[in-house]
Amino acid sequence: MTTYSDTPVANRNATGRSTGRWFAQVGWRHLVGVLAVAFSLFPILFVISAALNPLGTLSSTELVPTGASLENFTSLFQDTPFAHWFLNSLLLAGVASFASIFLSALAAYAFSRMRFAGRRVGLLALLLIQMFPQFLAIVAIFLIFTTVTGLWPAIGFNTPWGLFLLYMGTALGANTWLMKGFFDTLPKELDESATMDGATHAQVFFRIMLPLVAPILAVTGLLAFIGSINEFIIANVFLTEPNSKTLAVGMFGLVAGERNNNFGMFAAGTLLTAIPTVLVFQLLQRYIVSGLTAGAVKG
């Protein structure tokens, strides 16, 4: 009788020990993952709640909005030139990221495949220059563009093309190093065989190399797009007219003076601002992992 009465207790003890062993080995990882997801989702839920809050103020924002509506989105387009900010940012980020990828790919191919005087110095110079942020030279750049605006207003202050020229000043650097590491992983026999068949350097670059380095192009393109669309310091200095501002500058103006009153519109704008970056990431996501890892094989 004692054996039968102790069997359920023994089963419970065994189950408890197996559960404790599972939690010690695997379960705690699930707990940490759930906590991390909750921690990361809370700000997003708060912003969505603030965007749907009909009162549109920071003090009235709750995690679960009462009487949710789209009034903040309507006010954002009616009371502010948000559409101009959005188009300016898309145009500037798209053109700047494409030009940055193209210039970095050209430089990386030259540094990887060609041997010339000053090659090592040039690589080190690109790396060292990136240690100094661009806004350190903002006074000199401001004086230069004061003259440029008087001579060529189309590329001066309050124009996306003037800001585009500024962004091109930092187009090389980290992107060139990333691409060079990727180009170094490609066998040089590809270049040699194509050259023996009569291909020029341009044909080798565009027809053979670029398709093979598509993953790192996607990575650098995404980084350049995010950096351009989120850039604020230089854009805030050179863009002062309402219709010429980018999203970062325009959105900052909403909460710079009346943070409490305009917080609903600001939250609605941040949700719309995230759409281009998410779409670009979704289009390039199949290249992201391979592009980030393959360039680290060789330096």
Side-chain angles (χ1 to χ4, degrees), residues 174-222:
N175 290 343
T176 302
W177 275 88
L178 286 174
M179 290 189 182
K180 178 186 176 299
F182 207 104
F183 276 114
D184 288 343
T185 62
L186 301 179
K188 294 184 179 180
E189 288 77 9
L190 293 174
D191 308 46
E192 297 173 355
S193 61
T195 303
M196 292 179 63
D197 291 337
T200 62
H201 287 296
Q203 290 174 329
V204 172
F205 176 75
F206 286 104
R207 296 186 178 182
I208 299 177
M209 292 299 163
L210 281 188
L212 295 176
V213 298
I216 197 64
L217 294 179
V219 172
T220 54
L222 178 63

Side-chain angles (χ1 to χ4, degrees), residues 245-264:
K245 294 181 178 180
T246 59
L247 282 170
V249 179
M251 296 293 293
F252 173 77
L254 291 178
V255 295
E258 300 180 1
R259 179 175 302 179
N260 184 60
N261 295 335
N262 295 331
F263 187 76

